[in-house]
Amino acid sequence: MPQQFIQPQQNHETVTDPINRGQTGVGTEPLTDVLDAVLDDISTALDENAEEYVSSFVQKGGQ
Amino acid sequence: MPQLRDSSSERLRDEGEVCPGYNSFDRICGLETEYGLAATGTRRHCEASEAAMAMFRPVVMKARSTNTYLENGARLYLDVGSHPEYATAEARDPMDALKQDLAGEAIMRNLASSAQQELRTSYGAGTTVHVFKNNADSSGHSFGCHENYLVRRYVPLSAIKSQLLPFLITRQLFTGAGCVTSDGFEITQRARFVEDGVSSATTRVRPMVNTRDEPHADPNEFRRLHVIIGDSNRSQWATFMKLATTHLVLCVIEEAARTGKRSGLEDCALNNPGAANRALSADLTLHAADMDPTDADAFLSGIDRFDNATHPTHHSGSEIHDVNHHTTGRKITALEIQYRYWSVASRFVNTHRQAMTQSLPHSDCDEVLADWKMTLDALQSGDLSFLRSKVDWIAKYELLSELRNRGSDISYARLRQLDMDYHDISAGVTYPSLCRHGVIHTLVSADAVRSSVQTPPNDTRAALRGAFITAANACGGEYACDWTDLKTSRPQRLEAQLIDPFSTEPPADYQRLINSLHVRPSHRS
């Protein structure tokens, strides 16, 4: 099973920058300090292997 | 499915004998949300189907089926592909539909919690069950959040295609949930998976609007518009606005179909809805993608008639407007199309004030219009700080950008994990943290959500269904029901039909059913 989870284009060295698409109209303004707290929460909780986490979620489609 | 019928737009009967809700702008709306499932931290691989069966164990114990209706009037079931699904009870007001949808999240969270306890005994103490309110798994299988709107039968599907689809595509500027993909960040989760405009297909080729026509009401009077283009939203504001703005646009389209007059939305029709949808989703500049209307000149000539009168300044923020104004072949952006819808809806509310006010029992049309307009203005100007508290894709995009800006070496898998975690209503930390720290605003209190788990909307048929299920559960009766039919096999064999979704008046057969449930059987076989 695990082999089918890994798609060729998911190799992050070959993909387009997942966040930036060059020129954007959004996200230029710095966020407030409150995001420090949010990012702390996330990094504390999500310490598991990201590849494994992502590949665990495979189901047949719905509508 | 007794109400299934073909999709013609002709009424079959005299105008005389219609339900009271027919001659108004009142509407029933609802949401069907399919959830994704995964288990992590397991000693060996746990299939989604196993997690799903563990989640539905308490449901099967109680209902002897993975398909059941709840005391709040909603439907809970296990859909094809092991997707837990929750369909809200009938709501007249988008705020009620939002509350019912949040009740669905709470119900799924409880089921996931008990499934996690169970799975830990066989998969290890580290097992975590994830329930994703998103629209694609990590290998590209898509599932949906479907909106249902009761629409008067005389609205032809051609009007839905030419006048509603452009709205459904462009509203994603503020209803898109955002998605990390290998080609970059996208505004919507679904654009890669929906192709056709309006058709009867579902899973093989997904249309944006499905014509499967089960009105769960008198089919002579109504059709059910089944919208499947939308993303699942975590933002409560986005869920509310998605339903509220679509209601306003549907009122315009209905009235034009009823009177045979122009709606003002005809020029919004798009050459290629699928291409416009994909272009919008990939365009983070918000000004580059061409929606390619069928008649761009007609659309542009409408700017003076519609948009400038109500919104004289909205062109000034965009260079493209000033340079190319009124020239043949220039592109039309999603924002321009949204402004057109806003202008037409705004005029319509002003000229149909009483009926429109009545159509939303708890919400205010003017507030919806004002919020819609502020949102478009913020998107137009690029000032998105105003929107990060409301729009899923912007909140997610800014969070991920911030993470990137802090210089951490962040992998593609990690970005996708954060994207998924945002949608995890069971074990996710990102969305609750964003709410707790005030980055994302909520509209519904935790108490109101808890109450909606038990209580249906009080101004639709759902109130009768909910009372029936509550009474049947209380006396240990055996029953079955769907959206329109209620049946008991114990204590007595009785049935009732609730064909008018607007009505809370108990019909005589319903009253007999309820009375039978309030008489305790003397002995139970």
Side-chain angles (χ1 to χ4, degrees):
Chain A
M1 284 303 276
Q3 297 89 325
Q4 81 181 67
F5 302 155
I6 297 160
Q7 300 205 316
Q9 72 268 28
Q10 287 179 12
N11 181 339
H12 67 261
E13 281 163 4
T14 59
V15 298
T16 318
D17 185 323
I19 295 301
N20 295 311
R21 282 178 178 274
Q23 187 203 1
T24 69
V26 302
T28 49
E29 186 190 333
L31 287 182
T32 53
D33 293 341
V34 80
L35 272 191
D36 282 332
V38 175
L39 291 172
D40 278 352
D41 284 352
I42 295 170
S43 60
T44 311
L46 292 184
D47 56 354
E48 53 193 305
N49 182 321
E51 291 276 2
E52 204 176 292
Y53 177 102
V54 171
S55 67
S56 72
F57 179 28
V58 173
Q59 287 186 263
K60 292 200 181 72
Q63 261 192 37
Chain B
M1 290 296 125
Q3 298 90 32
L4 192 68
R5 55 162 285 169
D6 70 36
S7 285
S8 80
S9 48
E10 288 173 23
R11 287 193 77 247
L12 303 176
R13 274 203 326 234
D14 298 342
E15 289 292 332
E17 31 174 311
V18 294
C19 80
Y22 184 75
N23 292 314
S24 71
F25 292 115
D26 297 1
R27 193 176 315 289
I28 298 290
C29 65
L31 287 167
E32 297 168 29
T33 306
E34 287 180 307
Y35 290 86
L37 273 185
T40 57
T42 52
R43 279 198 297 254
R44 57 195 162 82
H45 179 65
C46 176
E47 293 282 349
S49 56
E50 261 180 284
M53 284 321 294
M55 265 183 84
F56 273 72
R57 197 117 34 226
V59 179
V60 173
M61 292 263 284
K62 197 170 164 187
R64 297 181 306 281
S65 166
T66 56
N67 173 15
T68 189
Y69 287 76
L70 307 175
E71 295 185 352
N72 69 355
R75 182 183 174 203
L76 172 68
Y77 52 116
L78 192 55
D79 201 13
V80 179
S82 299
H83 292 281
E85 182 156 349
Y86 174 91
T88 64
E90 301 88 338
R92 284 174 182 257
D93 195 286
M95 187 52 75
D96 279 340
L98 168 63
K99 287 177 185 168
Q100 290 292 315
D101 188 56
L102 295 170
E105 287 185 19
I107 288 162
M108 292 295 174
R109 201 173 290 122
N110 277 338
L111 293 173
S113 168
S114 63
Q116 183 168 287
Q117 289 305 319
E118 181 189 319
L119 291 173
R120 281 180 175 179
T121 61
S122 42
Y123 287 92
T127 303
T128 300
V129 173
H130 305 269
V131 181
F132 298 108
K133 193 186 189 192
N134 70 352
N135 304 106
D137 73 4
S138 59
S139 67
H141 296 120
S142 181
F143 45 98
C145 171
H146 308 153
E147 299 147 63
N148 293 302
Y149 302 92
L150 203 65
V151 174
R152 275 120 196 121
R153 173 64 59 186
Y154 47 70
V155 174
L157 286 177
S158 58
I160 297 299
K161 186 171 185 182
S162 61
Q163 299 180 42
L164 185 67
L165 265 193
F167 169 76
L168 296 176
I169 291 165
T170 53
R171 72 176 182 172
Q172 297 179 116
L173 291 171
F174 57 89
T175 65
C179 190
V180 173
T181 80
S182 54
D183 296 324
F185 191 86
E186 295 234 354
I187 289 173
T188 81
Q189 298 238 324
R190 291 280 273 178
R192 291 168 295 149
F193 303 106
V194 288
E195 286 286 340
D196 289 8
V198 177
S199 90
S200 61
T202 50
T203 51
R204 197 172 43 83
V205 182
R206 292 182 182 83
M208 299 176 191
V209 173
N210 186 292
T211 54
R212 185 179 63 186
D213 193 3
E214 301 162 51
H216 305 309
D218 185 339
N220 293 304
E221 295 171 7
F222 296 102
R223 70 164 78 246
R224 179 171 63 129
L225 190 68
H226 192 56
V227 172
I228 75 177
I229 185 182
D231 286 353
S232 299
N233 291 107
R234 292 302 317 266
S235 160
Q236 298 177 8
W237 176 91
T239 297
F240 172 81
M241 286 296 283
K242 173 165 79 176
L243 296 167
T245 56
T246 304
H247 166 67
L248 298 184
V249 171
L250 282 172
C251 290
V252 174
I253 293 172
E254 269 183 339
E255 183 65 353
R258 191 180 71 81
T259 59
K261 293 179 182 164
R262 282 177 63 83
S263 66
L265 303 173
E266 291 82 358
D267 300 336
C268 295
L270 305 179
N271 267 326
N272 187 338
N277 193 32
R278 287 187 296 277
L280 173 140
S281 187
D283 176 25
L284 294 188
T285 73
L286 311 184
H287 298 289
D290 186 0
M291 293 296 102
D292 188 18
T294 310
D295 189 343
D297 288 339
F299 180 87
L300 288 170
S301 74
I303 285 179
D304 294 326
R305 276 186 290 123
F306 290 105
D307 308 349
N308 286 351
T310 41
H311 186 72
T313 57
H314 90 259
H315 297 303
S316 60
S318 167
E319 216 174 282
I320 299 161
H321 280 290
D322 299 336
V323 174
N324 293 329
H325 190 58
H326 282 220
T327 59
T328 304
R330 91 148 165 86
K331 71 184 168 199
I332 309 291
T333 67
L335 268 166
E336 286 176 288
I337 290 180
Q338 273 293 305
Y339 272 117
R340 175 66 51 82
Y341 277 98
W342 181 86
S343 301
V344 171
S346 179
R347 284 185 182 192
F348 188 82
V349 168
N350 277 321
T351 50
H352 299 79
R353 187 149 285 285
Q354 196 182 351
M356 289 304 291
T357 301
Q358 183 203 305
S359 75
L360 295 181
H362 310 305
S363 305
D364 184 319
C365 288
D366 289 328
E367 284 176 19
V368 171
L369 284 166
D371 212 349
W372 186 3
K373 174 73 157 45
M374 274 196 290
T375 303
L376 297 182
D377 288 348
L379 290 166
Q380 176 74 16
S381 70
D383 174 18
L384 300 187
S385 53
F386 167 70
L387 297 178
R388 81 167 64 100
S389 61
K390 303 174 164 191
V391 177
D392 279 317
W393 76 263
I394 292 172
K396 192 191 284 180
Y397 176 82
E398 294 210 331
L399 181 72
L400 297 180
S401 298
E402 183 67 13
L403 203 58
R404 171 63 63 83
N405 292 342
R406 293 182 183 204
S408 51
D409 181 21
I410 185 161
S411 69
Y412 177 60
R414 180 70 162 164
L415 290 170
R416 292 199 67 191
Q417 181 190 22
L418 288 172
D419 183 354
M420 289 163 64
D421 183 75
Y422 181 90
H423 293 275
D424 181 353
I425 56 122
S426 162
V429 292
T430 306
Y431 180 80
S433 176
L434 287 165
C435 292
R436 199 166 52 246
H437 294 294
V439 179
I440 290 181
H441 298 168
T442 55
L443 305 179
V444 181
S445 71
D447 280 346
V449 175
R450 271 191 290 276
S451 158
S452 297
V453 170
Q454 302 296 329
T455 317
N458 66 5
D459 51 7
T460 69
R461 167 176 69 197
L464 298 175
R465 185 187 312 110
F468 164 74
I469 293 168
T470 303
N473 285 340
C475 78
E478 279 179 14
Y479 64 94
C481 70
D482 62 22
W483 296 110
T484 52
D485 291 12
L486 314 174
K487 288 176 187 163
T488 52
S489 49
R490 200 175 66 186
Q492 289 181 51
R493 196 168 289 276
L494 287 172
E495 57 184 85
Q497 196 175 52
L498 305 172
I499 197 66
D500 179 359
F502 293 105
S503 178
T504 55
E505 281 300 313
D509 53 357
Y510 175 87
Q511 204 55 61
R512 272 195 297 281
L513 204 59
I514 289 291
N515 291 344
S516 80
L517 294 171
H518 286 138
V519 180
R520 281 197 171 277
S522 52
H523 62 88
R524 299 171 69 173
S525 52

